[in-house]
Amino acid sequence: MKCNACWRELEGQAVSTTCGHLLCTEDAKKILSNDGACPICDQVLSKSHMRPVDINPNDDWTNMAMAGVSPQILMKSAYRSVMFYIGQKELEMQYKMNRIVGQCRQKCELMQAKFTEKLEEVHTAYQKMAKRCQLMEQEIENLMRDKQELQEKFAEKSRQKRKLDEMYDQLRSEYESAKRSAIQPANNYFPRAQPNLFSGMPNIMDSNDPLRQGNLIL
Ligand SMILES: [Zn+2]
Ligand SMILES: [Zn+2]
């Protein structure tokens, strides 16, 4: 049997109440000195509602306690005692169940707190990633814009190069025709072979011109 207030195993003297509960002598004294309310059913208790019980009676008590009592009263008392015992076992079971439920609830709450914490961590990481993705998208957009600008510049430079090539070709042909017209009259005046004044000179308009090599420097 256990005390219904502190749930420790009872030995020796205990106190039973009229409301059907069992207390250790220390808790019975505490209840009487406080508000007098039963810890299980809240019924107000006084000394007259409490009766001392010997949890482990000796053989003398067992042999003589019911001596002289009629079997009807004895059976009634035995029935009440057995019902009290069953009530105590039910109460103890309920107490154990409540304790297990409490422990489970505590574990659940702990797990839920951990789960919430993890969820928050994941959410924060997700937000960080989303922000990074957004920044990268912005960067890609900027790069695409730069690329387009460069392509436009390249097209413009190519156009300018083509124009310069045309101008160069035109100037070159003008130069060639001017050179021919400058040399031919001299040959007429002096029939002897004269050295061509331009033949020894490297042609500066030829291969050293970077524009002629097709290299476009942007
Ligand atoms: Zn107790
Ligand atoms: Zn009670």
Side-chain angles (χ1 to χ4, degrees):
M1 304 291 271
K2 286 181 170 122
C3 168
N4 294 171
C6 64
W7 291 102
R8 68 180 170 86
E9 195 72 39
L10 290 167
E11 276 175 20
Q13 289 292 313
V15 174
S16 71
T17 66
T18 49
C19 57
H21 297 125
L22 198 62
L23 302 163
C24 65
T25 48
E26 289 86 355
D27 281 325
K29 275 181 199 160
K30 261 189 242 169
I31 287 163
L32 285 177
S33 61
N34 290 334
D35 55 357
C38 170
I40 304 298
C41 65
D42 270 344
Q43 187 172 309
V44 179
L45 299 168
S46 66
K47 217 164 185 179
S48 63
H49 297 112
M50 293 178 174
R51 201 175 66 85
V53 183
D54 196 349
I55 298 291
N56 313 104
N58 57 25
D59 283 347
D60 287 345
W61 185 91
T62 312
N63 291 336
M64 296 305 291
M66 294 292 181
V69 179
S70 71
Q72 285 90 346
I73 296 171
L74 202 143
M75 287 308 285
K76 196 177 167 188
S77 179
Y79 172 76
R80 284 283 178 86
S81 297
V82 169
M83 289 312 284
F84 185 90
Y85 182 81
I86 290 169
Q88 278 299 305
K89 288 294 152 194
E90 278 176 358
L91 206 64
E92 197 180 321
M93 218 155 70
Q94 205 178 342
Y95 166 74
K96 280 181 183 169
M97 282 284 285
N98 286 346
R99 206 170 56 174
I100 290 167
V101 168
Q103 281 171 351
C104 283
R105 189 172 291 146
Q106 208 173 352
K107 272 186 189 171
C108 277
E109 278 169 8
L110 208 75
M111 275 170 74
Q112 197 168 356
K114 270 188 190 171
F115 176 74
T116 310
E117 197 183 322
K118 283 275 165 209
L119 198 72
E120 271 172 23
E121 270 177 33
V122 169
H123 185 66
T124 311
Y126 168 76
Q127 274 183 329
K128 232 181 203 175
M129 284 299 286
K131 183 124 189 177
R132 219 169 131 190
C133 277
Q134 205 179 344
L135 284 173
M136 279 170 88
E137 272 172 21
Q138 185 76 42
E139 209 173 318
I140 287 169
E141 208 176 303
N142 288 344
L143 284 169
M144 290 296 279
R145 207 165 37 234
D146 287 355
K147 187 191 160 199
Q148 204 177 343
E149 273 175 26
L150 283 169
Q151 274 176 339
E152 278 166 17
K153 275 185 190 170
F154 177 76
E156 178 59 28
K157 291 282 177 192
S158 296
R159 257 198 309 279
Q160 284 177 1
K161 181 190 175 272
R162 266 200 307 278
K163 219 168 174 182
L164 283 168
D165 280 349
E166 279 165 20
M167 277 167 73
Y168 173 82
D169 287 339
Q170 203 181 337
L171 283 167
R172 171 103 183 149
S173 63
E174 277 173 22
Y175 162 75
E176 288 293 344
S177 63
K179 190 172 86 175
R180 268 197 303 276
S181 60
I183 290 163
Q184 271 167 6
N187 285 345
N188 291 339
Y189 280 106
F190 306 100
R192 287 173 305 178
Q194 288 288 320
N196 187 349
L197 292 171
F198 295 99
S199 65
M201 281 173 68
N203 194 338
I204 55 159
M205 301 295 271
D206 272 346
S207 59
N208 287 337
D209 189 346
L211 280 175
R212 297 301 293 165
Q213 289 171 7
N215 294 331
L216 181 68
I217 299 150
L218 288 169

